[in-house]
Amino acid sequence: MSPAVDTRLTDIVAIVGSAGGINAMERVLARLPADLNAAVLIVLHLTPEHPSLLARILARRTDMNVREAADGDGLERGTVYVAPPDAHLLVTADGGLRLERSELVHHVRPSADALLLSIAHEYRGRCFAVVLSGTGIDGAAGAAAVHQAGGWVVAQDQVTSEHFGMPGAAILAGGVDAVLSLEEIGPAVVDFAGHMA
């Protein structure tokens, strides 16, 4: 019997953060090419009371296509999908996105752990997780799951982090493959994903 063929069209890069994360995300995305051979998923802890301008803010700093994620979106390479307020962003087995308004994780929704656990389960070694500046421990369990599934995980270093809670928690959980400065993270993503042929 032949092995199952992975029919998903793209690899996944997940970038998560909280306090101090917007600046960090802008600087990482600024280093990514428009033809990145992966889809990029963004989770930043957002207040649920107001519409988010995050997709518009990030779009100013990258050549990639940036949009707020919608339930049922199909993943496209070279595109950045930003989790909306008050919804967990998850991936599906067939290479799509699902928004879920289930219970809060670590008192937040969207949650970094919810996304990272999802990509670890569905994409295994075809995912790259980045834990950026933020407070709290959200993302630590998910980063460990991505690492255990064969994916690659990097955390922002303490020197360049405005808040080292999230990267530090991921490092302590044992799921981080490399601790990088903010300027090193974009090139590491490109090394993983490459360019579209």
Side-chain angles (χ1 to χ4, degrees), residues 9-11 32-40 63-65 75-81 189-197:
L9 297 177
T10 186
D11 293 339
L32 303 185
D35 65 344
L36 187 76
N37 194 27
V40 178
D63 293 329
M64 299 179 73
N65 180 31
L75 290 171
E76 298 176 10
R77 294 174 288 179
T79 301
V80 180
Y81 300 87
V189 171
V190 176
D191 284 346
F192 164 77
H195 299 264
M196 288 184 240

PDB file of all heavy atoms in Angstrom, residues 9-11 32-40 63-65 75-81 189-197:
ATOM      1  N   LEU A   9      -1.717  22.475  -0.111  1.00  0.00           N
ATOM      2  CA  LEU A   9      -0.961  23.209  -1.121  1.00  0.00           C
ATOM      3  C   LEU A   9       0.205  24.002  -0.564  1.00  0.00           C
ATOM      4  O   LEU A   9       1.052  24.442  -1.325  1.00  0.00           O
ATOM      5  CB  LEU A   9      -1.905  24.166  -1.871  1.00  0.00           C
ATOM      6  CG  LEU A   9      -3.025  23.497  -2.660  1.00  0.00           C
ATOM      7  CD1 LEU A   9      -3.919  24.549  -3.290  1.00  0.00           C
ATOM      8  CD2 LEU A   9      -2.439  22.591  -3.725  1.00  0.00           C
ATOM      9  N   THR A  10       0.264  24.201   0.740  1.00  0.00           N
ATOM     10  CA  THR A  10       1.249  25.129   1.251  1.00  0.00           C
ATOM     11  C   THR A  10       1.727  24.752   2.640  1.00  0.00           C
ATOM     12  O   THR A  10       1.034  24.067   3.385  1.00  0.00           O
ATOM     13  CB  THR A  10       0.675  26.564   1.274  1.00  0.00           C
ATOM     14  OG1 THR A  10       1.699  27.482   1.638  1.00  0.00           O
ATOM     15  CG2 THR A  10      -0.487  26.692   2.238  1.00  0.00           C
ATOM     16  N   ASP A  11       2.922  25.196   2.969  1.00  0.00           N
ATOM     17  CA  ASP A  11       3.419  25.101   4.331  1.00  0.00           C
ATOM     18  C   ASP A  11       2.857  26.273   5.128  1.00  0.00           C
ATOM     19  O   ASP A  11       2.341  27.239   4.579  1.00  0.00           O
ATOM     20  CB  ASP A  11       4.947  25.140   4.347  1.00  0.00           C
ATOM     21  CG  ASP A  11       5.571  23.910   3.699  1.00  0.00           C
ATOM     22  OD1 ASP A  11       4.889  22.874   3.595  1.00  0.00           O
ATOM     23  OD2 ASP A  11       6.742  23.985   3.305  1.00  0.00           O
ATOM     24  N   LEU A  32      10.033  39.568   4.750  1.00  0.00           N
ATOM     25  CA  LEU A  32       9.510  38.430   3.984  1.00  0.00           C
ATOM     26  C   LEU A  32       9.139  38.870   2.570  1.00  0.00           C
ATOM     27  O   LEU A  32       8.520  39.910   2.381  1.00  0.00           O
ATOM     28  CB  LEU A  32       8.279  37.838   4.677  1.00  0.00           C
ATOM     29  CG  LEU A  32       8.478  37.372   6.121  1.00  0.00           C
ATOM     30  CD1 LEU A  32       7.209  36.708   6.638  1.00  0.00           C
ATOM     31  CD2 LEU A  32       9.672  36.437   6.251  1.00  0.00           C
ATOM     32  N   PRO A  33       9.485  38.061   1.562  1.00  0.00           N
ATOM     33  CA  PRO A  33       9.194  38.431   0.176  1.00  0.00           C
ATOM     34  C   PRO A  33       7.742  38.164  -0.199  1.00  0.00           C
ATOM     35  O   PRO A  33       7.070  37.322   0.409  1.00  0.00           O
ATOM     36  CB  PRO A  33      10.126  37.504  -0.612  1.00  0.00           C
ATOM     37  CG  PRO A  33      10.241  36.273   0.248  1.00  0.00           C
ATOM     38  CD  PRO A  33      10.229  36.787   1.663  1.00  0.00           C
ATOM     39  N   ALA A  34       7.263  38.876  -1.203  1.00  0.00           N
ATOM     40  CA  ALA A  34       5.891  38.691  -1.676  1.00  0.00           C
ATOM     41  C   ALA A  34       5.645  37.269  -2.165  1.00  0.00           C
ATOM     42  O   ALA A  34       4.518  36.779  -2.116  1.00  0.00           O
ATOM     43  CB  ALA A  34       5.582  39.694  -2.783  1.00  0.00           C
ATOM     44  N   ASP A  35       6.700  36.604  -2.641  1.00  0.00           N
ATOM     45  CA  ASP A  35       6.537  35.249  -3.174  1.00  0.00           C
ATOM     46  C   ASP A  35       6.963  34.170  -2.180  1.00  0.00           C
ATOM     47  O   ASP A  35       7.405  33.093  -2.568  1.00  0.00           O
ATOM     48  CB  ASP A  35       7.300  35.099  -4.498  1.00  0.00           C
ATOM     49  CG  ASP A  35       8.814  35.222  -4.327  1.00  0.00           C
ATOM     50  OD1 ASP A  35       9.267  35.710  -3.263  1.00  0.00           O
ATOM     51  OD2 ASP A  35       9.540  34.823  -5.251  1.00  0.00           O
ATOM     52  N   LEU A  36       6.806  34.454  -0.879  1.00  0.00           N
ATOM     53  CA  LEU A  36       7.131  33.447   0.132  1.00  0.00           C
ATOM     54  C   LEU A  36       6.332  32.175  -0.145  1.00  0.00           C
ATOM     55  O   LEU A  36       5.117  32.233  -0.372  1.00  0.00           O
ATOM     56  CB  LEU A  36       6.805  33.977   1.528  1.00  0.00           C
ATOM     57  CG  LEU A  36       7.251  33.072   2.683  1.00  0.00           C
ATOM     58  CD1 LEU A  36       8.757  33.171   2.890  1.00  0.00           C
ATOM     59  CD2 LEU A  36       6.516  33.438   3.976  1.00  0.00           C
ATOM     60  N   ASN A  37       6.996  31.052  -0.100  1.00  0.00           N
ATOM     61  CA  ASN A  37       6.358  29.779  -0.441  1.00  0.00           C
ATOM     62  C   ASN A  37       5.659  29.160   0.778  1.00  0.00           C
ATOM     63  O   ASN A  37       5.856  27.988   1.106  1.00  0.00           O
ATOM     64  CB  ASN A  37       7.396  28.815  -1.020  1.00  0.00           C
ATOM     65  CG  ASN A  37       6.745  27.619  -1.699  1.00  0.00           C
ATOM     66  OD1 ASN A  37       5.620  27.703  -2.175  1.00  0.00           O
ATOM     67  ND2 ASN A  37       7.442  26.509  -1.737  1.00  0.00           N
ATOM     68  N   ALA A  38       4.852  29.968   1.451  1.00  0.00           N
ATOM     69  CA  ALA A  38       4.092  29.514   2.614  1.00  0.00           C
ATOM     70  C   ALA A  38       2.990  30.530   2.887  1.00  0.00           C
ATOM     71  O   ALA A  38       3.081  31.685   2.467  1.00  0.00           O
ATOM     72  CB  ALA A  38       4.994  29.379   3.841  1.00  0.00           C
ATOM     73  N   ALA A  39       1.974  30.092   3.589  1.00  0.00           N
ATOM     74  CA  ALA A  39       0.968  31.006   4.138  1.00  0.00           C
ATOM     75  C   ALA A  39       1.418  31.394   5.540  1.00  0.00           C
ATOM     76  O   ALA A  39       2.002  30.586   6.264  1.00  0.00           O
ATOM     77  CB  ALA A  39      -0.394  30.330   4.190  1.00  0.00           C
ATOM     78  N   VAL A  40       1.147  32.638   5.926  1.00  0.00           N
ATOM     79  CA  VAL A  40       1.527  33.139   7.245  1.00  0.00           C
ATOM     80  C   VAL A  40       0.260  33.419   8.045  1.00  0.00           C
ATOM     81  O   VAL A  40      -0.636  34.132   7.578  1.00  0.00           O
ATOM     82  CB  VAL A  40       2.378  34.424   7.127  1.00  0.00           C
ATOM     83  CG1 VAL A  40       2.720  34.968   8.517  1.00  0.00           C
ATOM     84  CG2 VAL A  40       3.649  34.155   6.326  1.00  0.00           C
ATOM     85  N   ASP A  63       5.425  43.310   1.513  1.00  0.00           N
ATOM     86  CA  ASP A  63       4.993  43.164   0.126  1.00  0.00           C
ATOM     87  C   ASP A  63       3.984  42.016  -0.024  1.00  0.00           C
ATOM     88  O   ASP A  63       3.409  41.836  -1.093  1.00  0.00           O
ATOM     89  CB  ASP A  63       6.195  42.893  -0.784  1.00  0.00           C
ATOM     90  CG  ASP A  63       7.117  44.093  -0.873  1.00  0.00           C
ATOM     91  OD1 ASP A  63       6.616  45.237  -0.778  1.00  0.00           O
ATOM     92  OD2 ASP A  63       8.340  43.894  -1.031  1.00  0.00           O
ATOM     93  N   MET A  64       3.795  41.237   1.034  1.00  0.00           N
ATOM     94  CA  MET A  64       2.847  40.135   0.975  1.00  0.00           C
ATOM     95  C   MET A  64       1.415  40.659   1.028  1.00  0.00           C
ATOM     96  O   MET A  64       1.154  41.762   1.498  1.00  0.00           O
ATOM     97  CB  MET A  64       3.095  39.158   2.138  1.00  0.00           C
ATOM     98  CG  MET A  64       4.482  38.523   2.118  1.00  0.00           C
ATOM     99  SD  MET A  64       4.732  37.407   3.520  1.00  0.00           S
ATOM    100  CE  MET A  64       3.696  36.032   3.010  1.00  0.00           C
ATOM    101  N   ASN A  65       0.487  39.847   0.540  1.00  0.00           N
ATOM    102  CA  ASN A  65      -0.937  40.158   0.648  1.00  0.00           C
ATOM    103  C   ASN A  65      -1.364  39.891   2.091  1.00  0.00           C
ATOM    104  O   ASN A  65      -1.128  38.809   2.611  1.00  0.00           O
ATOM    105  CB  ASN A  65      -1.715  39.275  -0.330  1.00  0.00           C
ATOM    106  CG  ASN A  65      -3.199  39.525  -0.282  1.00  0.00           C
ATOM    107  OD1 ASN A  65      -3.633  40.625  -0.008  1.00  0.00           O
ATOM    108  ND2 ASN A  65      -3.974  38.484  -0.541  1.00  0.00           N
ATOM    109  N   LEU A  75      -6.069  28.430   2.315  1.00  0.00           N
ATOM    110  CA  LEU A  75      -4.748  29.022   2.485  1.00  0.00           C
ATOM    111  C   LEU A  75      -4.043  29.189   1.145  1.00  0.00           C
ATOM    112  O   LEU A  75      -4.035  28.277   0.321  1.00  0.00           O
ATOM    113  CB  LEU A  75      -3.899  28.144   3.403  1.00  0.00           C
ATOM    114  CG  LEU A  75      -4.341  28.137   4.867  1.00  0.00           C
ATOM    115  CD1 LEU A  75      -3.572  27.074   5.635  1.00  0.00           C
ATOM    116  CD2 LEU A  75      -4.129  29.502   5.496  1.00  0.00           C
ATOM    117  N   GLU A  76      -3.443  30.347   0.950  1.00  0.00           N
ATOM    118  CA  GLU A  76      -2.690  30.646  -0.264  1.00  0.00           C
ATOM    119  C   GLU A  76      -1.284  31.065   0.113  1.00  0.00           C
ATOM    120  O   GLU A  76      -1.081  31.835   1.064  1.00  0.00           O
ATOM    121  CB  GLU A  76      -3.365  31.778  -1.049  1.00  0.00           C
ATOM    122  CG  GLU A  76      -4.764  31.460  -1.520  1.00  0.00           C
ATOM    123  CD  GLU A  76      -5.420  32.641  -2.212  1.00  0.00           C
ATOM    124  OE1 GLU A  76      -4.714  33.638  -2.488  1.00  0.00           O
ATOM    125  OE2 GLU A  76      -6.633  32.563  -2.477  1.00  0.00           O
ATOM    126  N   ARG A  77      -0.309  30.583  -0.640  1.00  0.00           N
ATOM    127  CA  ARG A  77       1.074  30.980  -0.415  1.00  0.00           C
ATOM    128  C   ARG A  77       1.235  32.477  -0.656  1.00  0.00           C
ATOM    129  O   ARG A  77       0.527  33.067  -1.463  1.00  0.00           O
ATOM    130  CB  ARG A  77       2.003  30.199  -1.343  1.00  0.00           C
ATOM    131  CG  ARG A  77       2.032  28.709  -1.042  1.00  0.00           C
ATOM    132  CD  ARG A  77       2.837  27.947  -2.053  1.00  0.00           C
ATOM    133  NE  ARG A  77       2.114  27.880  -3.330  1.00  0.00           N
ATOM    134  CZ  ARG A  77       2.566  27.283  -4.426  1.00  0.00           C
ATOM    135  NH1 ARG A  77       3.752  26.715  -4.407  1.00  0.00           N
ATOM    136  NH2 ARG A  77       1.862  27.262  -5.521  1.00  0.00           N
ATOM    137  N   GLY A  78       2.156  33.084   0.063  1.00  0.00           N
ATOM    138  CA  GLY A  78       2.404  34.502  -0.106  1.00  0.00           C
ATOM    139  C   GLY A  78       1.334  35.390   0.497  1.00  0.00           C
ATOM    140  O   GLY A  78       1.293  36.583   0.208  1.00  0.00           O
ATOM    141  N   THR A  79       0.481  34.830   1.354  1.00  0.00           N
ATOM    142  CA  THR A  79      -0.607  35.586   1.961  1.00  0.00           C
ATOM    143  C   THR A  79      -0.513  35.504   3.479  1.00  0.00           C
ATOM    144  O   THR A  79      -0.190  34.442   4.037  1.00  0.00           O
ATOM    145  CB  THR A  79      -1.973  35.054   1.492  1.00  0.00           C
ATOM    146  OG1 THR A  79      -2.036  35.152   0.064  1.00  0.00           O
ATOM    147  CG2 THR A  79      -3.127  35.836   2.097  1.00  0.00           C
ATOM    148  N   VAL A  80      -0.794  36.633   4.138  1.00  0.00           N
ATOM    149  CA  VAL A  80      -0.803  36.721   5.593  1.00  0.00           C
ATOM    150  C   VAL A  80      -2.254  36.784   6.053  1.00  0.00           C
ATOM    151  O   VAL A  80      -3.017  37.634   5.587  1.00  0.00           O
ATOM    152  CB  VAL A  80      -0.048  37.977   6.078  1.00  0.00           C
ATOM    153  CG1 VAL A  80      -0.073  38.068   7.601  1.00  0.00           C
ATOM    154  CG2 VAL A  80       1.390  37.982   5.558  1.00  0.00           C
ATOM    155  N   TYR A  81      -2.628  35.896   6.962  1.00  0.00           N
ATOM    156  CA  TYR A  81      -3.980  35.839   7.506  1.00  0.00           C
ATOM    157  C   TYR A  81      -3.927  36.241   8.979  1.00  0.00           C
ATOM    158  O   TYR A  81      -3.235  35.592   9.777  1.00  0.00           O
ATOM    159  CB  TYR A  81      -4.554  34.429   7.381  1.00  0.00           C
ATOM    160  CG  TYR A  81      -4.648  33.938   5.962  1.00  0.00           C
ATOM    161  CD1 TYR A  81      -3.561  33.309   5.358  1.00  0.00           C
ATOM    162  CD2 TYR A  81      -5.810  34.114   5.212  1.00  0.00           C
ATOM    163  CE1 TYR A  81      -3.634  32.864   4.043  1.00  0.00           C
ATOM    164  CE2 TYR A  81      -5.897  33.662   3.909  1.00  0.00           C
ATOM    165  CZ  TYR A  81      -4.793  33.043   3.328  1.00  0.00           C
ATOM    166  OH  TYR A  81      -4.870  32.606   2.021  1.00  0.00           O
ATOM    167  N   VAL A 189      12.641  32.503   8.599  1.00  0.00           N
ATOM    168  CA  VAL A 189      11.381  32.106   7.956  1.00  0.00           C
ATOM    169  C   VAL A 189      11.612  31.825   6.470  1.00  0.00           C
ATOM    170  O   VAL A 189      11.126  30.833   5.919  1.00  0.00           O
ATOM    171  CB  VAL A 189      10.299  33.189   8.136  1.00  0.00           C
ATOM    172  CG1 VAL A 189       9.072  32.887   7.283  1.00  0.00           C
ATOM    173  CG2 VAL A 189       9.902  33.321   9.602  1.00  0.00           C
ATOM    174  N   VAL A 190      12.364  32.702   5.813  1.00  0.00           N
ATOM    175  CA  VAL A 190      12.656  32.513   4.384  1.00  0.00           C
ATOM    176  C   VAL A 190      13.461  31.242   4.172  1.00  0.00           C
ATOM    177  O   VAL A 190      13.230  30.495   3.211  1.00  0.00           O
ATOM    178  CB  VAL A 190      13.372  33.745   3.809  1.00  0.00           C
ATOM    179  CG1 VAL A 190      13.748  33.509   2.353  1.00  0.00           C
ATOM    180  CG2 VAL A 190      12.487  34.988   3.927  1.00  0.00           C
ATOM    181  N   ASP A 191      14.403  30.954   5.065  1.00  0.00           N
ATOM    182  CA  ASP A 191      15.176  29.714   4.947  1.00  0.00           C
ATOM    183  C   ASP A 191      14.262  28.487   5.014  1.00  0.00           C
ATOM    184  O   ASP A 191      14.481  27.501   4.319  1.00  0.00           O
ATOM    185  CB  ASP A 191      16.218  29.629   6.077  1.00  0.00           C
ATOM    186  CG  ASP A 191      17.410  30.533   5.833  1.00  0.00           C
ATOM    187  OD1 ASP A 191      17.583  31.016   4.703  1.00  0.00           O
ATOM    188  OD2 ASP A 191      18.182  30.750   6.780  1.00  0.00           O
ATOM    189  N   PHE A 192      13.227  28.559   5.848  1.00  0.00           N
ATOM    190  CA  PHE A 192      12.282  27.443   5.976  1.00  0.00           C
ATOM    191  C   PHE A 192      11.404  27.331   4.731  1.00  0.00           C
ATOM    192  O   PHE A 192      11.246  26.251   4.154  1.00  0.00           O
ATOM    193  CB  PHE A 192      11.407  27.643   7.217  1.00  0.00           C
ATOM    194  CG  PHE A 192      10.168  26.776   7.241  1.00  0.00           C
ATOM    195  CD1 PHE A 192      10.244  25.445   7.573  1.00  0.00           C
ATOM    196  CD2 PHE A 192       8.923  27.312   6.909  1.00  0.00           C
ATOM    197  CE1 PHE A 192       9.112  24.645   7.590  1.00  0.00           C
ATOM    198  CE2 PHE A 192       7.778  26.535   6.926  1.00  0.00           C
ATOM    199  CZ  PHE A 192       7.877  25.194   7.275  1.00  0.00           C
ATOM    200  N   ALA A 193      10.826  28.460   4.330  1.00  0.00           N
ATOM    201  CA  ALA A 193       9.779  28.409   3.306  1.00  0.00           C
ATOM    202  C   ALA A 193      10.302  28.575   1.884  1.00  0.00           C
ATOM    203  O   ALA A 193       9.742  28.013   0.942  1.00  0.00           O
ATOM    204  CB  ALA A 193       8.733  29.500   3.577  1.00  0.00           C
ATOM    205  N   GLY A 194      11.352  29.376   1.712  1.00  0.00           N
ATOM    206  CA  GLY A 194      11.850  29.653   0.365  1.00  0.00           C
ATOM    207  C   GLY A 194      10.873  30.506  -0.427  1.00  0.00           C
ATOM    208  O   GLY A 194       9.964  31.127   0.118  1.00  0.00           O
ATOM    209  N   HIS A 195      11.081  30.525  -1.708  1.00  0.00           N
ATOM    210  CA  HIS A 195      10.261  31.317  -2.631  1.00  0.00           C
ATOM    211  C   HIS A 195       9.415  30.378  -3.494  1.00  0.00           C
ATOM    212  O   HIS A 195       9.780  29.235  -3.731  1.00  0.00           O
ATOM    213  CB  HIS A 195      11.144  32.183  -3.535  1.00  0.00           C
ATOM    214  CG  HIS A 195      11.987  33.159  -2.782  1.00  0.00           C
ATOM    215  ND1 HIS A 195      11.631  34.458  -2.589  1.00  0.00           N
ATOM    216  CD2 HIS A 195      13.189  33.009  -2.153  1.00  0.00           C
ATOM    217  CE1 HIS A 195      12.564  35.093  -1.903  1.00  0.00           C
ATOM    218  NE2 HIS A 195      13.505  34.236  -1.620  1.00  0.00           N
ATOM    219  N   MET A 196       8.318  30.895  -4.017  1.00  0.00           N
ATOM    220  CA  MET A 196       7.492  30.106  -4.933  1.00  0.00           C
ATOM    221  C   MET A 196       8.271  29.863  -6.220  1.00  0.00           C
ATOM    222  O   MET A 196       8.957  30.767  -6.708  1.00  0.00           O
ATOM    223  CB  MET A 196       6.191  30.848  -5.251  1.00  0.00           C
ATOM    224  CG  MET A 196       5.214  30.889  -4.119  1.00  0.00           C
ATOM    225  SD  MET A 196       3.675  31.670  -4.611  1.00  0.00           S
ATOM    226  CE  MET A 196       3.614  33.050  -3.488  1.00  0.00           C
ATOM    227  N   ALA A 197       8.149  28.660  -6.743  1.00  0.00           N
ATOM    228  CA  ALA A 197       8.847  28.334  -7.997  1.00  0.00           C
ATOM    229  C   ALA A 197       8.198  29.030  -9.168  1.00  0.00           C
ATOM    230  O   ALA A 197       7.015  29.289  -9.168  1.00  0.00           O
ATOM    231  CB  ALA A 197       8.827  26.823  -8.203  1.00  0.00           C
TER     232      ALA A 197
END
